[in-house]
């Protein structure tokens, strides 16, 4: 097992003159108990819309809370797979997947409109997110659905992955995303959750990885190599057992280093 670089050549408690800004997002509306505490600290929320978790009631609550805290609202559609929380690799018929995504996104769009709010972005969830990042066919399904029903919204996608350039070429605005609480492979993909060390449970390591991403645009991979990653937003998974503690630690570290937490520019 490669050595874990928990400091990543940076001290999370050091002060600096860095005056940058980053969007901090979390996946919410998934049945976790601390959504409101998290929404008070992040700038964007990706709301589960029925594919892997959530229903219309949970969507309404999440939208109301996001409005209360001034958080950008995004749809978090998934493979229709609540049994596996949307995290199992799937190969559904393409027309069925496209319709599932339309239904999920349109449902949340309707609910946000009923609440007087506005959807800002779409971020696929789980296995769909990771597969579409590198699979051009799945990427094109996500892109096509957005072009059909919400071309004005931003697509949140894995920073540096092929879907980013593909969506931009199709005319979509892309928000490139990196993760505070996941480990990476040399090709820029996330270590699969089937691997025992895929998730970062150590809060200090998650903070150090995030600071390195923001200030140096690089991170260590699971084999010890270093890759360049340019991200507009950093995600903490809201269903993780350490989610709230990690976000609280990130906000403290960001404040110490002059890093502002700011929602992305509105494209709609």
């Amino acid at each position: 097992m490669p050595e874990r670089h928990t400091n990543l050549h940076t001290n999370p408690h050091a002060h600096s003159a860095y005056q940058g800004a980053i969007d901090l997002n979390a996946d919410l509306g998934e049945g976790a108990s601390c959504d409101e505490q998290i929404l008070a600290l992040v700038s964007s929320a990706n709301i589960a819309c029925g594919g892997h978790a959530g229903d219309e009631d949970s969507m309404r609550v999440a939208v109301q809370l996001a409005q209360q805290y001034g958080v950008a609202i995004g749809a978090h559609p998934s493979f229709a797979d609540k049994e596996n929380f949307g995290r199992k690799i799937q190969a559904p018929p393409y027309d069925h997947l496209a319709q599932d995504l339309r239904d999920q996104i349109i449902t949340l769009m309707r609910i946000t409109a009923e609440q007087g709010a506005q959807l800002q972005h779409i971020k696929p969830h789980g296995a769909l997110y990771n597969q579409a990042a590198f699979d051009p066919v799945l990427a094109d399904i996500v892109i096509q659905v957005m072009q059909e029903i919400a071309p004005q919204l931003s697509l949140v996608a894995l920073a540096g992955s092929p879907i980013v350039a593909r969506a931009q070429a199709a005319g979509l605005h892309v928000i490139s995303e990196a993760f505070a609480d996941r480990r990476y492979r040399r090709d820029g993909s996330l270590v699969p959750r089937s691997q025992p060390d895929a998730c970062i449970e150590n809060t200090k390591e998650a903070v150090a990885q995030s600071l390195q991403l923001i200030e140096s645009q690089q991170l260590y991979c699971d084999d010890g190599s270093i890759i360049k990653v340019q991200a507009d937003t950093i995600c903490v998974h809201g269903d993780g057992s350490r989610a709230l503690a990690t976000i609280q630690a990130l906000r403290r570290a960001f404040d110490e280093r002059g890093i502002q937490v700011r929602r992305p520019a509105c494209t709609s």
Side-chain angles (χ1 to χ4, degrees):
M1 179 70 63
E3 179 186 356
R4 292 293 172 213
H5 302 269
T6 54
N7 66 345
L8 295 180
H9 298 316
T10 187
N11 180 354
H13 303 293
H15 294 264
S16 78
Y18 186 82
Q19 294 297 317
I22 193 73
D23 176 53
L24 182 61
N25 80 79
D27 305 331
L28 300 173
E30 298 175 331
S33 61
C34 53
D35 277 9
E36 183 168 2
Q37 296 97 310
I38 288 174
L39 279 165
L41 298 170
V42 299
S43 44
S44 295
N46 319 302
I47 298 175
C49 36
H52 68 288
D55 55 26
E56 292 199 16
D57 289 339
S58 67
M59 289 182 230
R60 287 191 183 89
V61 171
V63 169
Q64 290 167 0
L65 289 172
Q67 286 182 287
Q68 178 180 335
Y69 290 102
V71 173
I73 300 169
H76 202 32
S78 168
F79 289 132
D81 181 26
K82 289 190 175 182
E83 181 180 357
N84 299 293
F85 201 68
R87 287 177 174 157
K88 182 179 179 181
I89 292 175
Q90 302 277 342
Y94 296 142
D95 56 340
H96 291 181
L97 173 60
Q99 190 59 52
D100 281 341
L101 296 179
R102 290 187 200 98
D103 292 344
Q104 292 176 56
I105 296 166
I106 288 172
T107 298
L108 186 58
M109 291 177 74
R110 172 174 55 80
I111 289 170
T112 55
E114 289 171 356
Q115 299 294 327
Q118 192 173 33
L119 210 59
Q120 301 293 330
H121 63 271
I122 294 172
K123 174 188 169 181
H125 165 81
L128 175 61
Y129 177 97
N130 291 302
Q131 289 178 240
F134 293 91
D135 182 330
V137 176
L138 287 179
D140 284 348
I141 291 172
V142 173
I143 292 166
Q144 180 183 347
V145 168
M146 287 189 65
Q147 288 175 321
E148 288 175 1
I149 65 173
Q152 77 281 11
L153 302 187
S154 300
L155 172 66
V156 177
L158 183 66
S161 67
I163 193 176
V164 172
R166 205 169 185 89
Q168 290 171 334
L172 296 179
H173 179 259
V174 178
I175 298 172
S176 292
E177 180 179 51
F179 291 83
D181 54 4
R182 293 294 304 274
R183 294 194 173 92
Y184 282 76
R185 299 191 294 194
R186 182 190 291 266
D187 65 354
S189 64
L190 302 179
V191 174
R193 285 180 179 268
S194 58
Q195 302 297 315
D197 241 10
C199 298
I200 297 175
E201 303 289 350
N202 183 296
T203 299
K204 289 183 178 179
E205 186 180 350
V207 169
Q209 174 161 292
S210 299
L211 292 177
Q212 190 79 350
L213 281 162
I214 296 168
E215 296 182 337
S216 302
Q217 293 79 54
Q218 64 181 6
L219 53 77
Y220 282 98
C221 301
D222 63 338
D223 64 357
S225 61
I226 300 173
I227 59 173
K228 295 288 290 185
V229 176
Q230 292 187 319
D232 306 307
T233 186
I234 290 180
C235 176
V236 176
H237 288 88
D239 66 304
S241 62
R242 299 286 299 164
L244 180 58
T246 297
I247 292 170
Q248 290 170 333
L250 284 171
R251 289 302 304 259
R252 288 192 297 268
F254 291 171
D255 288 346
E256 289 173 358
R257 300 175 78 91
I259 300 169
Q260 300 177 26
V261 173
R262 183 188 306 160
R263 58 194 287 178
C266 178
T267 61
S268 59

